[in-house]
Amino acid sequence: MAETKGGAKGSGTRAKGKTDTSTKAKRGQKVVEPVMRSSGRAASFHDLAERISRGEQLFPPRMLTGLDRRNHVRSTLREDHQTRIEEQAHGTREKFEKLAKSRFKFFRGTALLFYRDMVGMDAHMPTVLALGDVHPENFGVMPNEDGVPIFSVNDFDEAAYAPFTWDMKRAAVGFWIAAQEEGELDRKQRRKIVRAFVKGYLDAMQAYADHETEKADAFRMDNSPKVIQRLFDEAWQDREEWLWNDYLKPSGKGFRADDELQPLSSEIDKFQKAVNDLAKTNELDVPDRSPDLRVKDVCVRHGQGTASLGLPRFYVLLEGPSKDATDDIIVEFKKARRSALEGLVPPTEFDAGEKGERIAHGQQVQLAHGDVFFGAVEIDGESYMSRERAPFRDDIDLDELSKKTWRNYAAVCGKALAQAHALSDDLGQIDYDVEPSIIAACEPRELFIEDLLRFTVETADRLKADHRAFKEDFEVGAFDSIDMVYR
């Protein structure tokens, strides 16, 4: 998700050999101050996407090599983090440090780089409401509309209408890299994992084409395979224990202060308005969980996430029905940005909307009967997405998976993604039958899978070189400033 901000301040790439303007003034010469602007390239990539999707023979950035590729990686990451770098936002350097230490985290935190390499690709493929950032850690346990834990896709920050293959390719690369780094699995085993993901996806999509059960299906504690049952068991925690162990101060009247939580009790009125706005938009009615939707306290949450590190994130404590701090609710508000896919997908008539509204649309379509607190609000003129933090909201510990459970987990994730895509023509904007279209587009199946594996290997190899270049650049301060254009 590229950040954009006009009137860039702070230093960027330095102009060398610059003559001192005061010396010129002494000589009676006219002094012309340099005109500077940030060098964002979003518009040029939008044009590139349209031209590639029309079949023009152009050279997308994935074909760059050497210093040209390094400069592309550097510029893309600077542009993607422009606001955070300029404002020296809390967590920005921490994010870059995380990306430097792990190739999988680098993959997770650089979605814009990944999708600029895919610019305009697969224009002939069926369109769905894509999740946008599919990888092994973006599936997990979360509450549904009744507060019951379910397993499904769980991150909608990049949601956009795109060819279904964009999610498939992002997922395949994610599983490949994670299985190598977290599972220490060889290439043959990683191929099996990717195949298991694709088979799970296509089998589920065929079932939805035949039976149209996508709106009713859900992975719950009573019907999930063993690998997910274990996740349910590990994720389950008593709400009172969770609140008092992780969040509340001794009195139970608000958030405690520590290195992750920074109380903002003076902002209660502002966030009470945000909760009221959310309740109105979502027609929220939860009297058995929070009768008055009364905000007890607010805090800033530091150090959470990978791609979103450095973005403002607030937790709001809502009073529960018992009023004794044993059943309070925590609602998260996170600043929303534009999707990393925006302007890069082949042109489409379908539009998910802007920022928080787009993210809310993604959740409402892709997660049938999901979290009722998921939505979009405006705070201080900025767009924020909202969701409930629950005691049982959790994702898989990848380093605990065996070779067999890696494949089983990948297959379940493929099925969960298929359900999210299948809902695109039920709850989303797609105006044709998605499921049979996707099944037909994947024929012959073996060719589709082999091409996906070829894409995965090529992309993973390129990512390895990109990560090495990023680490070298980071060590010498390449991301302490943004790109600037000097006149």
Side-chain angles (χ1 to χ4, degrees), residues 264-277 295 298 314 316 333 377-381 384:
L264 286 178
S265 302
S266 61
E267 301 289 320
I268 286 177
D269 289 345
K270 178 195 297 185
F271 283 89
Q272 183 67 68
K273 181 181 183 305
V275 169
N276 294 343
D277 290 345
V295 176
V298 180
F314 303 95
V316 173
F333 291 89
V377 296
E378 189 173 287
I379 302 172
D380 289 336
Y384 281 76

Side-chain angles (χ1 to χ4, degrees), residues 25-306:
K26 291 176 182 177
R27 294 173 182 167
Q29 298 179 18
K30 182 180 179 180
V31 177
V32 179
E33 292 294 337
V35 176
M36 297 179 290
R37 58 183 174 84
S38 60
S39 58
R41 300 176 294 164
S44 61
F45 269 93
H46 185 276
D47 179 62
L48 185 63
E50 291 187 345
R51 296 175 66 188
I52 288 176
S53 66
R54 289 197 299 266
E56 293 187 39
Q57 294 299 306
L58 300 169
F59 294 94
R62 64 179 176 273
M63 302 181 73
L64 295 172
T65 60
L67 183 58
D68 288 335
R69 179 68 188 184
R70 179 188 288 263
N71 285 332
H72 167 70
V73 173
R74 184 188 304 162
S75 294
T76 297
L77 266 66
R78 283 174 166 175
E79 183 178 347
D80 196 20
H81 299 84
Q82 177 177 323
T83 303
R84 280 179 274 188
I85 292 172
E86 284 188 294
E87 296 179 350
Q88 298 181 348
H90 182 93
T92 304
R93 182 169 184 83
E94 180 186 351
K95 175 180 177 178
F96 287 131
E97 289 172 346
K98 278 190 174 183
L99 302 192
K101 292 176 182 177
S102 163
R103 197 183 310 164
F104 180 50
K105 284 187 170 58
F106 179 76
F107 166 81
R108 287 188 55 185
T110 57
L112 183 64
L113 179 67
F114 180 88
Y115 285 120
R116 281 187 169 176
D117 283 340
M118 288 185 62
V119 57
M121 188 182 288
D122 298 344
H124 62 295
M125 287 293 189
T127 295
V128 297
L129 181 58
L131 192 70
D133 191 18
V134 186
H135 59 72
E137 292 184 339
N138 267 354
F139 297 84
V141 175
M142 73 211 78
N144 70 1
E145 63 184 352
D146 299 312
V148 175
I150 59 171
F151 175 86
S152 187
V153 296
N154 69 358
D155 190 327
F156 310 91
D157 289 4
E158 309 288 1
Y161 284 94
F164 79 97
T165 46
W166 282 45
D167 270 353
M168 297 291 285
K169 289 176 176 178
R170 178 91 174 152
V173 176
F175 272 99
W176 183 275
I177 297 169
Q180 180 181 22
E181 186 170 276
E182 302 287 340
E184 299 181 348
L185 302 181
D186 62 29
R187 183 165 292 218
K188 182 179 180 180
Q189 292 163 338
R190 281 177 270 151
R191 288 179 65 90
K192 290 180 179 179
I193 291 167
V194 173
R195 281 181 167 275
F197 173 81
V198 179
K199 184 177 186 300
Y201 178 91
L202 293 178
D203 287 352
M205 192 61 71
Q206 184 66 64
Y208 292 136
D210 294 339
H211 306 295
E212 299 182 354
T213 59
E214 59 270 20
K215 285 193 287 187
D217 282 359
F219 285 113
R220 303 180 306 272
M221 297 179 72
D222 63 300
N223 68 351
S224 294
K226 288 183 179 180
V227 66
I228 305 303
Q229 283 283 358
R230 190 176 72 185
L231 179 57
F232 276 116
D233 292 339
E234 292 174 352
W236 183 259
Q237 189 176 6
D238 176 75
R239 180 173 290 272
E240 180 179 359
E241 178 185 356
W242 172 71
L243 285 167
W244 285 86
N245 287 350
D246 297 344
Y247 296 101
L248 299 182
K249 57 187 178 182
S251 68
K253 295 181 179 179
F255 289 109
R256 69 186 183 214
D258 56 27
D259 59 344
E260 294 181 343
L261 307 177
Q262 176 190 334
L264 286 178
S265 302
S266 61
E267 301 289 320
I268 286 177
D269 289 345
K270 178 195 297 185
F271 283 89
Q272 183 67 68
K273 181 181 183 305
V275 169
N276 294 343
D277 290 345
L278 176 66
K280 183 177 180 180
T281 301
N282 285 14
E283 298 181 354
L284 197 57
D285 184 20
V286 287
D288 57 330
R289 302 193 63 209
S290 182
D292 304 315
L293 292 175
R294 187 179 78 83
V295 176
K296 291 175 62 176
D297 202 10
V298 180
C299 74
V300 176
R301 174 64 162 92
H302 295 303
Q304 192 171 40
T306 298

